[in-house]
Amino acid sequence: MTAWLVRHPLIAGWLWVGFWFAVILAQELAGAPPWSRWPAIVLAALPTLTATLFVLAATPRSHLLPVRESVLAHFVVRFLALIAAFIVWGVSLALGASIEAAIQEAGDHEEQAVTGLGFSLLLALVPVVIGVLWLALIVRCAWFLRRLRGWRQDPVRASDQRAVPAEFLQDRPRLRAVAIGLAHPGLLLVGGAGSSLLVFTLGRVDLTLMM
């Protein structure tokens, strides 16, 4: 581990992500097969995801509690969450009815054909749903990192922030500095979420019901 990396872990993280995104762009321009880009996508997100994993694993659950949240903010957030849940439920009902009608039509209303199309559609949707949930997890982790360590390369605890536990890699200060520097909310959003969006782009799923 070089001294430059210890002093500038965030810069190193941005350079790493930029390099692999450039590799992916070069592969796209060269017309390389989609499977060849998967290693670059994984490598682009690997350092920040690994550092985030270790930092969050060492952070006690008590840090999830908001530092300064009024009772009004608490109730408003829950109210908005209920509204969002209702909207999602309504949309799912409408889509479910539409998909059911399409499957019935595509299967000529034959039970075996309809069942087969339903399972095929379900299998096709599984990776999409997992990808969306993974993207939501990345955004949530980045939001928490913003509260935990802020946006600076070397975080300085503010009055409205939690702090990375002092016990985290206490006996290895150089590795601690690199890990905290790479576990950056912006870097995680670009590296983790950006890679997830690339996966959606490269792994297009055809959900068209064929007759």
Side-chain angles (χ1 to χ4, degrees), residues 171-188:
D171 55 339
R172 304 184 67 180
R174 293 166 62 88
L175 183 58
R176 173 187 169 90
V178 173
I180 294 177
L182 290 176
H184 184 272
L187 188 61
L188 181 63

Side-chain angles (χ1 to χ4, degrees), residues 7 24 81 89 102 136 167 181 191 194 205:
R7 292 195 305 269
I24 295 170
W89 173 73
E167 298 80 12
V205 180

Side-chain angles (χ1 to χ4, degrees), residues 64-98:
L64 284 174
L65 298 176
V67 178
R68 292 182 178 178
E69 182 186 38
S70 66
V71 174
L72 177 62
H74 174 86
F75 288 138
V76 168
V77 169
R78 272 66 183 175
F79 175 70
L80 294 177
L82 289 174
I83 293 177
F86 174 77
I87 293 174
V88 171
W89 173 73
V91 171
S92 67
L93 284 181
L95 287 177
S98 177

